[in-house]
Amino acid sequence: MEIGSAANHQEKAGVMSLGWSWIMGLSKKFQEKVVGVANKIKKLGKDDPRRITHSIKVGLALSLVSLFYYFRPLYDDFGDAAIWAVLTVVVVFEFSVGATLGKGINRGIATLCAGALGVGAHHLANLAGEEGEPILLGILVFILAAVSTYTRFFPGIKARYDYGMVIFILTFSLVTVSGYRIEKILVLAHQRLSTILIGGSTCVIVSIFVCPVWAGEDLHKLTALNMEKLADFLEGFGGEYFGQERDDGESFVKDDSKKMFHQAYKSVLNSKTTEESLANFARWEPCHGSFGFRHPWQQYLKIGGLTRQCAYQIEALNGCINSDIQAPTEFKKKIQEACTKMSMESGKGLRDLAQGIRTMTVPSAAEIHIEISKAGENDLKSAVLEDIDDLLDVIPVATVASLLVEIISCTEKIAEAVNELARIVKFKIIDPTVTPEKPHLLHRGSVQPVCFTDSPEHHVCITVLSETEQGTKTLAGLFLERINSVPITTRENQEPVKGARHDLEV
């Protein structure tokens, strides 16, 4: 008996131990979930603190319209229709001012028009008599609902007035159907319209005057940010593509964090929906900051489309970095300078364009980088043609070269679109040659010495432009002269000396 009791006691102790372990494990998992949720909440607010402000604003608007229920004098005037003010705040209040204002105006106008038509339909149906009234009301509801629903398929209507059309159908149906059983139809329509206007006005006032979030400003910043993401990749492409192998043949170890930084351009590929939504909301917003009435938001969509087109080319260029087919190391060294110049200068051009949009200044410096990238394009063609005999070596590089050429073309188109925006909005013009950040470009540089022979018979002739002659040329024109490719001649035969050249760094 004692042995059996001891065994039972040990078995119970084991069960209790397992139960306690299970409870402790469950408690630990619960704590981990709580901590995980808390971290997500913290991260969500840290990523965009405006989300916290928006939540407070919604709570404030709901508290204000709830007074129609809490105070008897207000409730007596509106009755149960006061609930429409609360519902209006819930469905109308959006994150940005433009979205809130657009929904509020859509809801107000749609309610007014539908209420008026509903009252008119009710009086028209009364003329048909008691038996014909429901039939005529049903026909009118069918016609207006069908026509309104079909109208929503038009792209222009769907983009800006889709919510208003839905409210129009809903309000007309409610007023027409409920008016059949209610005698005071005008009172019903007036109460619902008044409460909806009050709720919408509360949303708009709180949205504008309490820490406003402007959709136009977000679109403005997003356009510049997307261009900067492309610039990040292009400026780092040379190191990624030509840094795969060292001179000693060992593999090049890449920094994963830097590589992830260069992958930020991928978000640009899916930015169309966001840009179109922000542009649609921005059209509803009043003048604010540097954005006046009838600001050309459509031009931002044009710039965004060109930026995505450039991002697609960069996506293909990114595939060349880790491609299984690579050119030999020696051949890659020959084209490294030209390719790096093309990608680096294109990236700098995009960065200057983005900075011009951010500061609303004419991005005149971007033209210089674009012209330098075009000069690198010619150097790349020459380097590829020199080794055209080995076709297998040229194919991978030809792919990279063609993509870089397309990127330069896209950058040039983006520059034209940004300059058009600058012309419409009248961006500030800043002299690109004299700024606190940049010294005077025309008087900075060095000439590398030329040493190709010991004979004193050879000479180098360098022409220096005067300040007057320089003033007649644009900065881009100076880079286009291709000074670094001018051949050196001799006194004896005036023929170019093979391999001799001089470089001017500006």
Side-chain angles (χ1 to χ4, degrees), residues 262-405:
H262 290 154
Q263 300 298 314
Y265 75 91
K266 291 183 180 293
S267 63
V268 181
L269 301 173
N270 301 318
S271 62
K272 181 179 180 180
T273 303
T274 303
E275 291 175 357
E276 290 180 347
S277 298
L278 290 175
N280 180 35
F281 298 149
R283 294 190 186 102
W284 293 101
E285 294 177 345
C287 301
H288 59 280
S290 301
F291 308 103
F293 182 67
R294 298 183 65 85
H295 194 78
W297 302 114
Q298 198 68 24
Q299 187 67 20
Y300 286 88
L301 297 181
K302 180 180 179 180
I303 296 174
L306 294 173
T307 304
R308 281 189 298 277
Q309 182 180 348
C310 186
Y312 291 134
Q313 301 295 337
I314 290 178
E315 175 72 4
L317 190 64
N318 184 43
C320 297
I321 297 178
N322 300 317
S323 176
D324 295 334
I325 303 176
Q326 296 288 342
T329 304
E330 295 182 358
F331 184 65
K332 290 176 69 173
K333 288 182 179 179
K334 295 180 181 179
I335 64 167
Q336 179 175 357
E337 182 179 357
C339 288
T340 303
K341 180 190 292 186
M342 294 171 66
S343 62
M344 180 67 71
E345 295 300 328
S346 297
K348 289 181 179 179
L350 287 173
R351 193 173 297 280
D352 286 337
L353 292 172
Q355 184 64 18
I357 292 178
R358 283 188 182 276
T359 58
M360 285 193 167
T361 56
V362 177
S364 54
E367 183 182 357
I368 301 174
H369 297 296
I370 294 175
E371 298 301 338
I372 296 177
S373 63
K374 289 182 178 179
E377 178 183 340
N378 296 330
D379 296 339
L380 179 61
K381 291 178 181 178
S382 302
V384 173
L385 290 175
E386 290 177 359
D387 293 82
I388 196 65
D389 295 335
D390 194 347
L391 184 60
L392 293 178
D393 293 346
V394 175
I395 289 177
V397 177
T399 303
V400 174
S402 62
L403 291 173
L404 287 174
V405 170

Side-chain angles (χ1 to χ4, degrees), residues 54 57-58 61 88-95 100 202-203 206-207:
H54 174 69
K57 289 161 63 177
V58 173
T88 300
V89 171
V90 173
V91 299
V92 167
F93 211 127
E94 294 289 341
F95 186 72
T100 303
T202 303
C203 294
V206 173
S207 179

Side-chain angles (χ1 to χ4, degrees), residues 127-147:
L127 300 177
E130 185 176 353
E131 296 181 356
E133 182 178 0
I135 299 175
L136 184 57
L137 287 176
I139 294 174
L140 292 175
V141 170
F142 169 78
I143 293 174
L144 283 178
V147 172

Side-chain angles (χ1 to χ4, degrees), residues 63-357:
S63 299
L64 291 176
V65 297
S66 297
L67 298 177
F68 288 93
Y69 259 94
Y70 298 151
F71 288 94
R72 172 61 65 178
L74 296 177
Y75 181 80
D76 292 338
D77 291 337
F78 295 98
D80 293 335
I83 194 63
W84 287 95
V86 178
L87 294 176
T88 300
V89 171
V90 173
V91 299
V92 167
F93 211 127
E94 294 289 341
F95 186 72
S96 64
V97 174
T100 303
L101 192 59
K103 269 195 168 183
I105 293 176
N106 269 275
R107 188 177 181 88
I109 295 177
T111 302
L112 178 62
C113 295
L117 289 176
V119 173
H122 179 71
H123 286 288
L124 180 63
N126 285 333
L127 300 177
E130 185 176 353
E131 296 181 356
E133 182 178 0
I135 299 175
L136 184 57
L137 287 176
I139 294 174
L140 292 175
V141 170
F142 169 78
I143 293 174
L144 283 178
V147 172
S148 301
T149 302
Y150 184 77
T151 306
R152 294 177 59 197
F153 289 106
F154 288 93
I157 299 296
K158 191 171 186 63
R160 301 192 64 184
Y161 309 108
D162 185 69
Y163 178 74
M165 298 305 297
V166 173
I167 297 301
F168 176 83
I169 297 171
L170 175 63
T171 304
F172 179 79
S173 302
L174 289 177
V175 172
T176 304
V177 174
S178 60
Y180 180 70
R181 297 295 182 182
I182 299 176
E183 295 181 358
K184 297 180 180 180
I185 183 65
L186 289 176
V187 177
L188 173 64
H190 175 266
Q191 288 179 344
R192 290 187 179 180
L193 178 61
S194 300
T195 52
I196 288 175
L197 291 178
I198 291 172
S201 301
T202 303
C203 294
V204 172
I205 292 172
V206 173
S207 179
I208 293 178
F209 294 101
V210 181
C211 300
V213 177
W214 303 102
E217 185 177 350
D218 287 348
L219 177 61
H220 185 83
K221 293 180 180 179
L222 178 62
T223 303
L225 179 61
N226 286 342
M227 295 168 65
E228 290 174 349
K229 291 178 180 179
L230 303 188
D232 291 335
F233 178 89
L234 292 174
E235 291 177 355
F237 172 74
E240 288 287 328
Y241 185 69
F242 298 101
Q244 291 182 348
E245 294 183 358
R246 298 177 180 172
D247 295 337
D248 54 6
E250 296 182 1
S251 299
F252 179 81
V253 180
K254 298 179 180 180
D255 187 359
D256 292 337
S257 60
K258 188 175 181 180
K259 184 176 180 181
M260 291 297 295
F261 182 69
H262 290 154
Q263 300 298 314
Y265 75 91
K266 291 183 180 293
S267 63
V268 181
L269 301 173
N270 301 318
S271 62
K272 181 179 180 180
T273 303
T274 303
E275 291 175 357
E276 290 180 347
S277 298
L278 290 175
N280 180 35
F281 298 149
R283 294 190 186 102
W284 293 101
E285 294 177 345
C287 301
H288 59 280
S290 301
F291 308 103
F293 182 67
R294 298 183 65 85
H295 194 78
W297 302 114
Q298 198 68 24
Q299 187 67 20
Y300 286 88
L301 297 181
K302 180 180 179 180
I303 296 174
L306 294 173
T307 304
R308 281 189 298 277
Q309 182 180 348
C310 186
Y312 291 134
Q313 301 295 337
I314 290 178
E315 175 72 4
L317 190 64
N318 184 43
C320 297
I321 297 178
N322 300 317
S323 176
D324 295 334
I325 303 176
Q326 296 288 342
T329 304
E330 295 182 358
F331 184 65
K332 290 176 69 173
K333 288 182 179 179
K334 295 180 181 179
I335 64 167
Q336 179 175 357
E337 182 179 357
C339 288
T340 303
K341 180 190 292 186
M342 294 171 66
S343 62
M344 180 67 71
E345 295 300 328
S346 297
K348 289 181 179 179
L350 287 173
R351 193 173 297 280
D352 286 337
L353 292 172
Q355 184 64 18
I357 292 178

